[in-house]
Amino acid sequence: MYNMASSESLDQDIPLFSLSPFWARCLVGVVSFVCFVNSYNGNFVFDDSEAIINNKDLREDTSISDLWLHDFWGTKLSSNASHKSYRPLTVLTFRINYNLAGGLHPAGFHVVNILLHCIVSVLMLEVFSLLFCSGATDKGKKILYAPKSALLSALLFAVHPVHTECVSGIVGRADLLCALFVVLSFLGYCKALPGFNNREHTSPFWVIFSVFLGAVAMLCKEQGITVLGLNAVFDVFVICKLNMLECIQKVLHRDKTPEKFSFLKKGLFTRICLLAIGGMCLLYIRWRIMGTGPPAFTDVDNPASFADSLFVRVINYNYYYSLNGWLLLCPWWLCFDWSMGCIPLIKSLSDFRIMAPAALWFCLFGLMYQALFSNNGQTRRIVTMGLGFLVIPFLPASNLFFRVGFAVAERVLYLPSVGYCMLLTYGYSRVCRQYIKKKILTLTVLGLLATNMIRCVQRSNEWKSEELLFQSALFVCPLNAKVHYNVGKNLADRSQQTEAIKFYREAVRLNPKYVHAMNNLGNILKEKEELHEAEQLLSRAVSIQPDFSAAWMNLGIVQNSLKRFEEAEKSYLTAIKYRKKYPDCYYNLGRLYADLNRHMDALNAWRNATILKPDHSLAWNNMIILLDNTGNLAQAEAIGREALKLLPRDHSITFSLANVLGKAEKYKESEGLFLRAIEANPSSASYHGNLAVLYHRWGHLDLAKKYYEISMKLDPSAQGTKENYNLLKRKLEQRGHM
């Protein structure tokens, strides 16, 4: 165990209570739990739909081995559509959640996220204790109290509102698992160092095991590889106590004494070589897995990276960094998405926002100067590690090495917030050292913790449903087209079509190339019979994105409704051209052919739909009905039985097959199927009416009368049922039954 020599001096300056390590862990765990526990009964929201609900990798019919060949969203890594985000261990935990819960029940997913954050927060207490220590060894002294500096930093980390996306959003589990294994890797690396448990030499096993844990972190999220850099910085500046100022002075004075680089004698070279070799191996494997190139993003995802001017790119990247820094300092303006116009580009030096990156770099240069050239060894070590944890885990999201698919993302700040909490604690201790009225400072920091806890509870409540989440974003990013799109989509899903149209229109106004908003708006207008405007929107969408299959299909539906059949067929075939496995498009193409009396083409199209999607109920049903209407009862019966084997609980297929069997005079079997359909859907007038017709044909007139009357009660306007009922009444009167 490392001693607390340097942290004791900090503790003397920090006016907080002292706790034993056990109670300190309990406090951090409880506080982190309280902050986010109210999200346990939240729904699947935002990206959860793609990563969990629509991800086939969670289902048992997908082999576990396929998880290693697919990206985070369930797409093959070899596909051009792949996001290239390789996180198989995170997906595996989702799959375990799915199997244990017996399906898509979000509570279990949320509970795991909350517990992971609690575990990481508790482990952070140990990490901060090591980061604030001097790197010397404690030869037998029992630690009675957890360092106040470590406890304060762990509490600040546990209650930081910027973590809400990671904890309350289920997809954020990638960041939580990555952080967990990063922490374990760091703690494992510390065990390899000379001085740990009175060890005099490096332990290669623990170095290699630390690299292995870094690889595990990387399989949870790509950011995990940065732990190797953190380990190296900790080794060089804390354990080996590299003093850059002294090194520069010795180089300038051409000091040739053997002690010039004495820190290398502590086995540093060996450990750094092992870390470097491990890192290069991981990067090579990751490059091979990703394939020939990085994922393709668009300018709406990360507009700065698509700017033609190098100046515009550089200044806006730095502006993004300053916004991330502001989210750590003041986490009140939080948004689930910062793309699509949420952050307008800075295009000239006259833009007042240029002051933000200037302020950021002023602070960073000041901290870097203290980290490298301060005469105080404690300051050098703490500020260096604070900057290390702040900057190194953020590098994969910085656009420096490759383009990323976002401008700002709160989830990537989960690990960098460790450095922020460390620097804040150290700054607080320095202020306390100079300020006499420590009670005011104590109340200030306790107020900060309480305020952040309240904000965590409030924000995690907003993540419980898409309605609350999307509405909250309107106040933060009113210029974000995606926010308006998601609000509109949520309203449409709740059948509030009129309100949804307003938000879709605003999304298209803010981003005139937003093809998904055009597609959804066109769909609603199609349902409201505003076909010409719907056609204009969908035509515009496919002209902007010619391979947008869904828009081509929807355009075909509109053209079919406008009786422009040739154009509709062309649109359907174009959709299938760009998306070979498109069962819904084959279904709609079959409907077009049926309207044109091209019966064989219709049957082929519907058969293709059922091949691609065996549970496509509408395609099966339409095949049965078409064959029934054209007198092909034997073929209709065969198709109906095949469909019923696949979908035994589908009452519409059951009903259609019952009609076929009735016409084939298989009355008993037909009766059983009609009764099954009615049991599944007792409010359907046609089900009761057709069963009455069966009984009428069969000669069971009393039963026919009963079901005719039920059918007319359910649908008094059904003229055919009334006519059949009147025929039955006359027949019964002739027999003297009335």
Side-chain angles (χ1 to χ4, degrees):
M1 174 68 70
Y2 289 94
N3 73 18
M4 299 296 124
S6 63
S7 61
E8 283 176 359
S9 62
L10 288 181
D11 287 0
Q12 293 170 2
D13 299 323
I14 296 176
L16 290 178
F17 46 81
S18 297
L19 289 176
S20 69
F22 172 78
W23 288 112
R25 294 185 187 102
C26 290
L27 176 62
V28 172
V30 169
V31 167
S32 59
F33 182 78
V34 169
C35 284
F36 301 104
V37 67
N38 69 323
S39 67
Y40 85 95
N41 60 346
N43 296 321
F44 293 113
V45 297
F46 194 41
D47 285 340
D48 295 344
S49 60
E50 292 301 318
I52 298 172
I53 296 175
N54 299 327
N55 192 344
K56 294 181 180 179
D57 286 347
L58 272 64
R59 278 58 167 182
E60 290 183 354
D61 53 355
T62 300
S63 171
I64 290 182
S65 60
D66 287 343
L67 268 62
W68 304 92
L69 304 174
H70 296 170
D71 66 14
F72 186 56
W73 314 95
T75 305
K76 288 184 178 180
L77 285 164
S78 57
S79 169
N80 292 330
S82 173
H83 198 273
K84 307 294 184 182
S85 47
Y86 188 62
R87 304 163 192 173
L89 293 185
T90 302
V91 178
L92 181 61
T93 66
F94 290 154
R95 182 169 176 142
I96 293 171
N97 255 134
Y98 178 86
N99 289 332
L100 290 177
L104 292 170
H105 304 291
F109 290 84
H110 282 295
V111 168
V112 171
N113 275 28
I114 295 167
L115 293 177
L116 281 172
H117 176 62
C118 294
I119 293 169
V120 172
S121 298
V122 171
L123 287 173
M124 280 299 170
L125 192 62
E126 179 70 14
V127 171
F128 285 124
S129 296
L130 291 167
L131 292 176
F132 281 111
C133 83
S134 65
T137 57
D138 187 342
K139 301 190 178 185
K141 183 179 177 181
K142 184 178 180 181
I143 303 300
L144 298 177
Y145 300 105
K148 293 180 183 179
S149 53
L151 176 59
L152 178 57
S153 296
L155 288 172
L156 288 169
F157 176 85
V159 304
H160 204 298
V162 83
H163 297 161
T164 311
E165 180 176 355
C166 294
V167 183
S168 300
I170 297 171
V171 168
R173 185 178 300 178
D175 298 89
L176 297 172
L177 286 169
C178 175
L180 174 63
F181 287 104
V182 163
V183 169
L184 293 175
S185 175
F186 178 79
L187 294 176
Y189 188 79
C190 291
K191 291 188 176 184
L193 302 173
F196 191 90
N197 286 343
N198 298 324
R199 183 184 292 115
E200 296 182 1
H201 303 288
T202 298
S203 170
F205 167 79
W206 281 109
V207 177
I208 295 171
F209 189 63
S210 173
V211 173
F212 169 75
L213 290 173
V216 174
M218 191 177 174
L219 291 174
C220 295
K221 190 174 182 180
E222 297 79 358
Q223 195 179 20
I225 195 173
T226 59
V227 70
L228 304 183
L230 293 173
N231 291 343
V233 170
F234 180 74
D235 199 344
V236 172
F237 291 98
V238 176
I239 301 304
C240 296
K241 300 180 182 178
L242 173 64
N243 187 330
M244 288 297 296
L245 182 60
E246 288 183 3
C247 289
I248 292 172
Q249 288 174 344
K250 288 182 178 182
V251 170
L252 291 176
H253 291 86
R254 298 181 180 179
D255 187 351
K256 297 181 179 180
T257 59
E259 291 79 16
K260 181 177 177 181
F261 296 109
S262 59
F263 60 89
L264 292 175
K265 296 180 181 179
K266 298 181 180 181
L268 175 65
F269 182 77
T270 301
R271 296 192 296 273
I272 296 300
C273 282
L274 289 173
L275 288 176
I277 293 170
M280 287 187 289
C281 290
L282 292 178
L283 286 174
Y284 175 74
I285 294 170
R286 180 67 179 85
W287 177 78
R288 289 297 302 269
I289 289 172
M290 189 168 69
T292 55
F297 297 114
T298 63
D299 57 347
V300 296
D301 299 317
N302 185 358
S305 66
F306 286 86
D308 295 328
S309 167
L310 177 62
F311 165 79
V312 173
R313 290 200 301 273
V314 171
I315 201 67
N316 281 281
Y317 286 160
N318 282 274
Y319 183 59
Y320 293 165
Y321 306 156
S322 66
L323 287 177
N324 280 284
W326 182 248
L327 289 176
L328 289 173
L329 285 169
C330 185
W332 292 95
W333 285 2
L334 300 176
C335 184
F336 71 92
D337 185 270
W338 294 82
S339 64
M340 285 202 181
C342 184
I343 309 172
L345 289 179
I346 297 174
K347 297 183 178 180
S348 71
L349 292 174
S350 61
D351 193 319
F352 75 94
R353 291 177 296 161
I354 206 168
M355 297 299 295
L360 172 71
W361 282 107
F362 177 80
C363 294
L364 287 178
F365 278 127
L367 289 169
M368 284 189 285
Y369 180 83
Q370 290 294 317
L372 296 175
F373 304 116
S374 173
N375 291 322
N376 187 315
Q378 181 190 69
T379 298
R380 286 198 309 273
R381 287 189 296 272
I382 293 176
V383 175
T384 297
M385 290 312 303
L387 282 173
F389 269 91
L390 182 68
V391 174
I392 293 174
F394 183 75
L395 288 176
S398 66
N399 287 289
L400 290 177
F401 306 108
F402 45 81
R403 177 183 290 154
V404 297
F406 52 85
V408 174
E410 295 156 22
R411 60 187 175 275
V412 303
L413 295 176
Y414 192 79
L415 273 172
S417 66
V418 175
Y420 162 77
C421 295
M422 189 174 179
L423 292 171
L424 182 61
T425 298
Y426 185 64
Y428 174 70
S429 71
R430 294 291 295 269
V431 172
C432 289
R433 186 179 304 173
Q434 304 296 327
Y435 199 70
I436 299 175
K437 297 181 179 179
K438 298 189 185 302
K439 287 186 178 179
I440 295 176
L441 294 175
T442 303
L443 291 174
T444 300
V445 75
L446 291 176
L448 175 63
L449 291 171
T451 303
N452 279 356
M453 286 184 70
I454 293 170
R455 179 58 175 145
C456 284
V457 172
Q458 178 191 21
R459 184 61 180 160
S460 61
N461 187 64
E462 291 172 348
W463 272 88
K464 290 172 72 171
S465 72
E466 289 192 333
E467 180 183 1
L468 293 171
L469 180 65
F470 298 155
Q471 289 288 344
S472 70
L474 288 172
F475 300 100
V476 181
C477 285
L479 299 178
N480 188 334
K482 187 182 285 188
V483 169
H484 291 273
Y485 167 83
N486 280 291
V487 172
K489 185 174 182 298
N490 181 257
L491 289 167
D493 291 342
R494 292 186 285 123
S495 301
Q496 298 182 29
Q497 309 285 21
T498 303
E499 291 297 314
I501 288 174
K502 295 178 184 177
F503 284 97
Y504 280 139
R505 290 193 190 281
E506 180 65 8
V508 174
R509 186 190 71 80
L510 291 170
N511 183 1
K513 295 183 179 181
Y514 200 172
V515 293
H516 291 89
M518 295 176 198
N519 179 59
N520 288 14
L521 178 57
N523 270 340
I524 294 179
L525 294 174
K526 173 192 68 181
E527 293 170 6
K528 295 174 75 70
E529 297 298 322
E530 298 178 28
L531 299 177
H532 292 287
E533 186 181 359
E535 183 183 22
Q536 291 174 1
L537 283 164
L538 293 166
S539 297
R540 191 166 138 207
V542 297
S543 67
I544 295 170
Q545 185 178 330
D547 62 348
F548 191 5
S549 298
W552 278 114
M553 182 188 74
N554 291 324
L555 178 60
I557 295 172
V558 172
Q559 291 166 336
N560 193 4
S561 300
L562 291 169
K563 309 299 182 184
R564 300 216 300 272
F565 300 121
E566 289 185 10
E567 293 176 50
E569 181 182 12
K570 182 180 177 181
S571 295
Y572 288 140
L573 293 174
T574 305
I576 293 169
K577 170 188 172 183
Y578 289 116
R579 184 174 167 186
K580 306 296 183 185
K581 298 179 180 181
Y582 203 171
D584 289 339
C585 192
Y586 277 111
Y587 166 73
N588 285 301
L589 179 62
R591 289 184 60 188
L592 169 67
Y593 289 147
D595 291 341
L596 296 174
N597 292 322
R598 293 166 58 179
H599 295 156
M600 288 304 300
D601 289 334
L603 289 171
N604 287 333
W606 287 329
R607 173 55 79 178
N608 284 332
T610 59
I611 291 171
L612 294 171
K613 186 180 179 183
D615 61 347
H616 203 303
S617 172
L618 292 173
W620 284 114
N621 207 33
N622 279 17
M623 279 195 286
I624 299 168
I625 292 170
L626 179 59
L627 291 167
D628 181 5
N629 291 340
T630 54
N632 297 306
L633 295 182
Q635 194 175 353
E637 181 182 344
I639 293 291
R641 293 187 187 281
E642 182 183 354
L644 208 57
K645 284 182 180 179
L646 292 167
L647 301 166
R649 297 181 180 179
D650 191 299
H651 57 81
S652 61
I653 292 175
T654 305
F655 171 72
S656 297
L657 180 57
N659 281 328
V660 172
L661 293 173
K663 291 179 182 179
E665 297 184 356
K666 298 180 179 180
Y667 296 131
K668 190 63 179 176
E669 188 177 2
S670 175
E671 177 192 29
L673 291 175
F674 272 129
L675 291 173
R676 273 174 56 186
I678 289 171
E679 183 181 3
N681 187 16
S683 61
S684 172
S686 61
Y687 288 10
H688 291 88
N690 282 32
L691 177 57
V693 171
L694 175 74
Y695 285 135
H696 200 157
R697 289 176 181 168
W698 199 358
H700 298 323
L701 303 186
D702 291 332
L703 287 172
K705 178 176 177 292
K706 172 186 173 183
Y707 281 96
Y708 276 137
E709 290 172 351
I710 295 174
S711 179
M712 289 188 294
K713 185 177 180 180
L714 291 169
D715 183 11
S717 63
Q719 193 62 36
T721 304
K722 288 180 181 178
E723 292 174 359
N724 287 336
Y725 181 66
N726 289 331
L727 288 172
L728 177 65
K729 281 177 65 177
R730 287 195 291 271
K731 194 171 184 179
L732 289 171
E733 286 172 355
Q734 291 172 2
R735 294 190 178 187
H737 287 296
M738 293 293 287

